[in-house]
């Protein structure tokens, strides 16, 4: 089931991430590494709104399992 | 009411059934979430991971860190990170800098080893990394170096390409090594320097004294006292003459009781 009201077409984000677990992505977050490059390039336009939502969702999910967000509450 | 357009949970809520929001530990949450695939078929579970993490943190306390810049501590140490002297002073001697560098100018000789050895370091700048080493015995063999990401305080995966120096090729002194592919690093982030003898030989580089080094790995508990604290990094014995691409299994790491190379960095 896709994000609410999103197209079901598998676009760039999930196509590039196929086979990657959240844990495996935790080591590929730095500039130039795999996860940031998934979003490079995605042009900022309404047509790509679903891809933007997916990129943010995956980023937040990976950061959620990478480490506890202790800086948020301190 | 479920998340909009979501199917019933098959994993997150099933595995965490009967767990209270205020009692769930990060490791419990992480254990359930980390094996989820970042794929469209798991999108509902990805949404639930983010929702649950935010809910978990909502009951931990106020999110003061969200709206404050950096540390809430008034003490705010900054690594040197700006070139000076009209840009001519642009070499950062990382092995002498905080937080994993040593405070002594004394050096020793670091012979190479067929087992990869790793030492942590914190990048003073953002950019593509050039490594500088100091050859003190230009004998034989080939030295390989690489930079690794850090996950949980141990090396995880190689970043970019490898650096290499062939002993016996250019004499002693400072050597500037460029990688086979860009190694992009970020200021303030922790990395690991991996070093191995890719071809066995007797060459050596300048190294920091082990006795001046920080402990950068856990000790085994069978020590009879705490006088011996020779755990200056980590090493692998299952990767002879090779710096692995990773991800490296953390439990494979063993003790590294050598001081790190005396090394410097430039950033492109």
């Amino acid at each position: 089931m896709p994000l609410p009201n999103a197209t079901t077409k598998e676009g760039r984000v999930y196509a590039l991430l196929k086979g990657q677990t959240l844990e495996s992505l935790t080591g590929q977050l730095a500039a130039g590494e795999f996860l940031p490059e998934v979003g490079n390039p995605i042009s900022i336009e309404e047509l790509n709104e679903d891809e933007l939502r997916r990129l943010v969702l995956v980023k937040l999910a990976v950061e959620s399992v990478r480490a506890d967000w202790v800086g948020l509450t301190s | 009411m479920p998340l909009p357009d979501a199917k019933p949970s098959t994993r997150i809520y099933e595995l965490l059934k009967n767990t209270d929001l205020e009692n769930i530990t990060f490791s419990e949450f992480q254990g359930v979430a980390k094996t989820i695939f970042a794929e469209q078929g798991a999108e509902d579970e990805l949404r639930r991971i983010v929702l649950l993490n935010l809910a978990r943190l909502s009951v931990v306390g106020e999110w003061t860190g969200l709206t404050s810049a950096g540390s809430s501590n008034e003490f705010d140490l900054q690594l040197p990170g700006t070139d000076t002297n009209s840009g001519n002073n642009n070499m950062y001697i990382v092995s002498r800098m905080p937080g994993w560098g040593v405070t002594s100018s004394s050096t020793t000789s670091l012979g190479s080893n067929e087992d990869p050895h790793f030492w942590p370091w914190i990048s003073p700048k953002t950019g593509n990394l050039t490594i500088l080493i100091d050859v003190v015995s230009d004998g034989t063999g080939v030295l390989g170096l690489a930079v690794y990401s850090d996950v949980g305080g141990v090396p995880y995966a190689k970043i970019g390409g490898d650096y290499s120096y062939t002993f016996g090729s250019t004499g002693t002194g400072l050597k500037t090594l460029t990688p086979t592919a860009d190694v992009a690093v970020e200021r303030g982030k922790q990395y690991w320097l991996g070093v191995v003898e890719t071809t066995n030989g007797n060459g050596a580089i300048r190294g920091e004294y082990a006795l001046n080094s920080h402990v950068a790995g856990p000790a085994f508990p069978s020590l009879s006292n705490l006088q011996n604290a020779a755990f200056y990094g980590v090493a692998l014995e299952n990767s002879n003459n090779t710096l692995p691409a990773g991800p490296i299994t953390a439990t494979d790491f063993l003790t590294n009781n050598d001081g790190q190379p005396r090394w410097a960095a430039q950033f492109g």
Side-chain angles (χ1 to χ4, degrees), chain A residues 12-20 25 34-35 38 58, chain B residues 38-39:
Chain A
R12 175 187 174 87
V13 172
Y14 289 133
L16 292 175
L17 289 173
K18 200 174 285 289
Q20 298 277 344
L25 289 169
F34 185 60
L35 188 57
V38 167
V58 171
Chain B
E39 296 183 351

Side-chain angles (χ1 to χ4, degrees), chain B:
Chain B
M1 180 69 74
L3 285 167
D5 296 337
K7 289 180 178 174
S9 172
T10 55
R11 181 174 176 84
I12 300 295
Y13 294 138
E14 285 297 314
L15 293 177
L16 293 175
K17 193 172 287 183
N18 299 325
T19 306
D20 289 340
L21 204 53
E22 64 178 349
N23 293 328
I24 185 173
T25 65
F26 173 72
S27 60
E28 284 178 306
F29 165 76
Q30 185 186 43
V32 170
K34 68 182 182 181
T35 55
I36 300 288
F37 283 91
E39 296 183 351
Q40 190 158 22
E43 200 167 51
D44 289 346
E45 297 294 57
L46 295 178
R47 284 198 283 165
R48 290 178 179 122
I49 288 168
V50 174
L51 174 65
L52 179 56
N53 194 39
L54 291 173
R56 183 181 67 85
L57 290 162
S58 295
V59 302
V60 168
E62 191 175 359
W63 293 6
T64 49
L66 189 65
T67 53
S68 63
S71 171
S72 59
N73 194 322
E74 292 180 1
F75 186 77
D76 187 17
L77 185 149
Q78 294 288 319
L79 291 178
T82 302
D83 300 346
T84 57
N85 188 21
S86 303
N88 291 310
N89 293 9
N90 63 0
M91 185 177 75
Y92 296 79
I93 305 175
V94 176
S95 63
R96 291 291 314 278
M97 290 170 52
W100 294 106
V102 306
T103 57
S104 170
S105 61
S106 301
T107 59
T108 186
S109 175
L110 177 64
S112 45
N113 194 309
E114 68 178 7
D115 294 329
H117 281 50
F118 303 85
W119 296 268
W121 64 284
I122 297 171
S123 182
K125 293 190 69 171
T126 295
N128 292 326
L129 179 71
T130 297
I131 289 178
L132 297 97
I133 58 172
D134 188 358
V135 174
V136 294
S137 179
D138 200 27
T140 59
V142 178
L143 188 70
L145 301 95
V147 172
Y148 286 77
S149 58
D150 177 293
V151 173
V154 290
Y156 186 74
K158 188 186 292 184
I159 300 171
D162 290 89
Y163 304 80
S164 176
Y165 178 73
T166 301
F167 288 108
S169 58
T170 60
T172 59
L174 194 65
K175 310 297 175 189
T176 301
L177 310 180
T178 54
T180 53
D182 284 348
V183 175
V185 293
E186 294 178 55
R187 173 174 167 80
K189 192 170 179 181
Q190 177 156 311
Y191 301 93
W192 290 75
L193 178 68
V195 179
V196 76
E197 194 176 28
T198 54
T199 301
N200 294 341
N202 60 11
I205 61 176
R206 192 177 302 280
E208 305 293 356
Y209 268 119
L211 294 177
N212 295 330
S213 302
H214 292 284
V215 169
F220 42 85
S222 58
L223 294 173
S224 58
N225 57 54
L226 295 179
Q227 185 176 14
N228 175 10
F231 305 91
Y232 307 126
V234 292
L236 288 173
E237 288 186 355
N238 61 359
S239 183
N240 287 5
N241 303 109
T242 302
L243 289 164
I248 304 173
T249 303
T251 50
D252 287 347
F253 286 118
L254 300 171
T255 298
N256 171 5
N257 56 15
D258 288 329
Q260 66 180 299
R262 169 68 60 90
W263 69 284
Q266 288 179 309
F267 301 87

